[in-house]
Amino acid sequence: MVQTDMHSSDQEDLRLLRESVRTLFDRAGGSSRARKLRDAGGGWDSEMVRELAEAGVFGVTVPEQAGGLGMGLAAGGVIAEEVGRVIAPEPVVATVGLSLGLLRRLCPDHPGMSRLVAGETVLAVAWQERGPNGGPGKATCCYAEGKLTGSKAWVAGAVGADGFLVVAEGPDGPVLVLAEPGASGFSIERRPQADGSAMGELSFSGTPAEELARGAAVQDALAEAISDATALAAAELVGLSGRAFEITLDYIKTREQFDKPIGSFQVIQHRAVDLNVMCEVAQAGVREALALMDAETDPKARARLASRAKARAVTAARKITRDAIQLHGAVGYTDEFEVGLYLNRALVLSAWLGDDAYHRRAWFEAREEEGAAQ
């Protein structure tokens, strides 16, 4: 098969994957389902997690020999975009990027791996800790003699998770352990977010846990998984931005002022064109970064690509969703209109794993380091 045929075949696979996931979400209720779950107290639908798993969603980046589809991050990005379009609360990106990203690199034969792919369980990853000033601090959570002591902060998908993959300090370096939410000495504090979701603050006091891996490989795998999740979060923002723009475009075509649709006014048309260009550029940049990450083996290069994607996606999402509110006028600020849900989700997702300023700084520092080494 020639290269162009392979490329065409890959694109067709991604198109079919996108259609399958979009149909699944639309059948479940689209973005209105996110509103209902938010109004019911937050959380996600475990039945939807199982349906997504049956569609192969969680196994797209997992190698075929480990029970996945082996389609790579580009396919994961397609799924993340569709998640963003309907602002689905299920922890798809956190599972594909972080949980499975860690397990497939460190312990692919662990039974938790196949259960994650099958949607039978949801595992949240806890690696960050809060410092004295409220920001990220040095790791102090310890694992010794089969028990955890300490705390973890900013755990995505913590509320409702069936278990936790915790990165802690062991006697001989970093370790990855699995902790159960019902274990003794384990408590979870729910931290509500602007979009109705919640981060988790975990506390361990002699909590029994199962050791999965240890040594420098744990930190290496964590860094790679964070890069994956960062790039996939960028794709989710791209999907969110695109849908927010579509909603706004439909509104300005029907909302009338002075007996004319406001979309007929030149100043509104110019703003809509600018938002469309920003959305298309962000989409192209993020998709390119994901494809390059699939082909790249150097962890530092992959981290740079992830930072580039997230910085661009955050900038676009913030601009598009905020302008969408303005173009809706006063009603855009009410909870009745869908566009506000997209703004709130954009704010939360933009901050998760670093905002645009953080990733631009990381990208420039990496490039300077690379230049100094040459």
Side-chain angles (χ1 to χ4, degrees), residues 273-292:
V273 169
D274 289 344
L275 294 181
N276 184 50
V277 170
M278 180 172 280
C279 192
E280 292 289 334
V281 169
Q283 181 188 82
V286 171
R287 289 181 179 178
E288 179 191 36
L290 287 164
L292 290 173

Side-chain angles (χ1 to χ4, degrees), residues 99-164:
S99 305
L100 285 167
L102 276 174
L103 290 181
R104 68 183 174 86
R105 289 180 171 95
L106 293 171
C107 41
D109 296 328
H110 189 275
M113 179 86 168
S114 58
R115 295 187 66 197
L116 274 174
V117 172
E120 297 171 0
T121 187
V122 174
L123 300 178
V125 177
W127 82 94
Q128 294 175 295
E129 297 183 27
R130 193 182 298 275
N133 62 352
K138 296 177 66 175
T140 58
C141 183
C142 298
Y143 176 77
E145 299 179 352
K147 294 184 178 181
L148 277 170
T149 301
S151 61
K152 291 291 179 181
W154 304 296
V155 182
V159 181
D162 302 303
F164 295 85

Side-chain angles (χ1 to χ4, degrees), residues 138-323:
K138 296 177 66 175
T140 58
C141 183
C142 298
Y143 176 77
E145 299 179 352
K147 294 184 178 181
L148 277 170
T149 301
S151 61
K152 291 291 179 181
W154 304 296
V155 182
V159 181
D162 302 303
F164 295 85
L165 296 171
V166 183
V167 178
E169 291 299 310
D172 304 313
V175 294
L176 177 68
V177 301
L178 175 62
E180 302 294 335
S184 62
F186 186 7
S187 64
I188 304 174
E189 181 182 352
R190 187 177 187 273
R191 295 291 181 93
Q193 305 296 298
D195 63 346
S197 65
M199 290 286 189
E201 302 275 327
L202 312 184
S203 179
F204 308 102
S205 180
T207 303
E210 175 192 357
E211 182 178 330
L212 303 181
R214 65 167 58 198
V218 173
Q219 286 296 344
D220 293 342
L222 177 62
E224 289 265 36
I226 290 173
S227 293
D228 290 353
T230 298
L232 292 175
E236 186 174 348
L237 281 167
V238 163
L240 179 156
S241 301
R243 181 56 187 154
F245 176 70
E246 289 175 5
I247 293 171
T248 305
L249 200 60
D250 289 341
Y251 182 78
I252 64 176
K253 287 178 179 178
T254 56
R255 171 73 169 90
E256 291 191 356
Q257 194 171 32
F258 307 117
D259 297 325
K260 292 183 179 179
I262 62 173
S264 65
F265 302 141
Q266 193 172 57
V267 65
I268 300 296
Q269 292 176 359
H270 287 172
R271 290 186 69 177
V273 169
D274 289 344
L275 294 181
N276 184 50
V277 170
M278 180 172 280
C279 192
E280 292 289 334
V281 169
Q283 181 188 82
V286 171
R287 289 181 179 178
E288 179 191 36
L290 287 164
L292 290 173
M293 287 177 72
D294 274 333
E296 183 59 70
T297 57
D298 179 11
K300 290 184 178 180
R302 297 183 81 255
R304 287 199 305 271
L305 288 166
S307 288
R308 191 182 80 184
K310 185 74 187 298
R312 186 179 292 277
V314 169
T315 300
R318 283 178 173 171
K319 173 67 174 173
I320 291 168
T321 53
R322 286 172 177 171
D323 277 24

